[in-house]
């Protein structure tokens, strides 16, 4: 039975930090399903379709990664996809409190699904999608922080702003 994990997030947009977490996940699991959450409450900059496309375009070399959009409960997505785990990345101690709450709640919702954490690479501990959006909107250079397919999407948003 292949071991499969769901890696959820808003990915608004995907960063090299997220790519690093997914690739680390592939050392533990046979397949990773990246679940791109609709998350309207976060008012994402990019629509769901664009966020999914940017994630897909960042993993064209990796057949063990599948990307899907979702808007229900994460544990339901995991069950539908026959994943036995949820994968999350930890960048610093400040991530822990929120991740702990989310993992505990997900366990309460479905005790058969385990949450696995990997530590983000040191170079990416300071990266967040919010910083990427902000720096890009002010004309800063984000080329070392996001996968190349994300850059034209950010530029297109800047031109429209
Ligand atoms: N590298 C770079 N950035 C990272 C990162 C990493 N390794 N890990 C987290 N981040 C950033 C994200 O970019 C994001 O930044 P931003 O808020 O500045 O834009 C932030 O940390 C956290 O966002 P994200 O990883 O997208 O997760 P989230 O907090 O938005 O949670 C879900 C999203 C999808 C996991 C959660 O909302 C969910 O499970 N939704 C489904 C509904 C559900 O089941 N709810 C019950 C949950 S208990």
């Amino acid at each position: 039975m292949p071991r499969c994990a769901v890696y959820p997030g808003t990915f608004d947009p995907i960063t090299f930090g997220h790519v690093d977490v997914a690739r680390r996940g592939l050392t533990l699991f046979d397949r990773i399903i990246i679940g791109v959450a609709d998350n309207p409450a976060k008012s994402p900059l990019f629509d769901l379709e664009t966020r999914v496309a940017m994630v897909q375009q960042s993993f064209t070399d990796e057949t063990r990664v599948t990307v899907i959009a979702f808007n229900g409960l994460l544990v339901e997505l995991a069950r539908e996809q026959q994943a036995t785990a949820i994968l999350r990345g930890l960048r610093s101690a400040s991530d822990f409190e929120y991740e702990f709450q989310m993992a505990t709640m997900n366990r309460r919702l479905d005790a058969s699904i385990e949450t696995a954490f990997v530590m983000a690479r040191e170079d990416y501990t300071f990266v967040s999608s919010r910083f990427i959006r902000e720096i890009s909107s002010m004309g800063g250079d984000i080329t070392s922080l996001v996968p190349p397919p994300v850059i034209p999407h950010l530029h297109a948003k800047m031109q429209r702003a």
Side-chain angles (χ1 to χ4, degrees):
M1 186 76 174
R3 290 161 310 158
C4 173
V6 171
Y7 175 30
T10 311
F11 303 108
D12 186 39
I14 184 166
T15 70
F16 275 139
H18 295 127
V19 172
D20 175 56
V21 168
R23 291 199 189 280
R24 282 175 200 282
L26 284 170
T27 66
L28 302 171
F29 299 97
D30 302 307
R31 272 182 64 220
I32 300 286
I33 294 160
I34 301 187
V36 182
D38 190 6
N39 226 342
K42 246 185 159 176
S43 302
L45 175 67
F46 293 101
D47 61 33
L48 183 58
E49 199 184 326
T50 308
R51 284 181 280 133
V52 168
M54 288 188 287
V55 179
Q56 275 168 340
Q57 289 158 8
S58 304
F59 287 96
T60 47
D61 62 327
E62 187 48 82
T63 54
R64 294 171 297 165
V65 170
T66 310
V67 186
I68 49 179
F70 78 104
N71 60 16
L73 277 181
L74 177 56
V75 290
E76 269 170 24
L77 174 74
R79 280 196 291 256
E80 272 164 31
Q81 298 297 322
Q82 295 178 332
T84 52
I86 293 164
L87 175 71
R88 292 288 287 174
L90 286 176
R91 290 165 297 177
S92 63
S94 58
D95 280 346
F96 180 76
E97 191 70 32
Y98 173 62
E99 294 296 336
F100 178 78
Q101 283 179 14
M102 202 156 66
T104 311
M105 185 55 84
N106 282 325
R107 179 183 284 168
R108 175 65 67 93
L109 294 171
D110 189 330
S112 70
I113 299 168
E114 199 60 58
T115 299
F117 294 101
V118 292
M119 272 172 63
R121 195 169 118 181
E122 306 81 73
D123 327 27
Y124 301 133
T125 50
F126 61 93
V127 179
S128 81
S129 297
R130 182 171 63 85
F131 283 157
I132 300 293
R133 294 191 299 271
E134 189 173 299
I135 295 164
S136 172
S137 73
M138 293 173 178
D141 180 14
I142 38 77
T143 48
S144 63
L145 304 174
V146 296
V150 172
I151 293 172
H153 292 283
L154 280 166
H155 285 168
K157 283 283 176 197
M158 272 172 62
Q159 274 156 16
R160 254 174 263 143

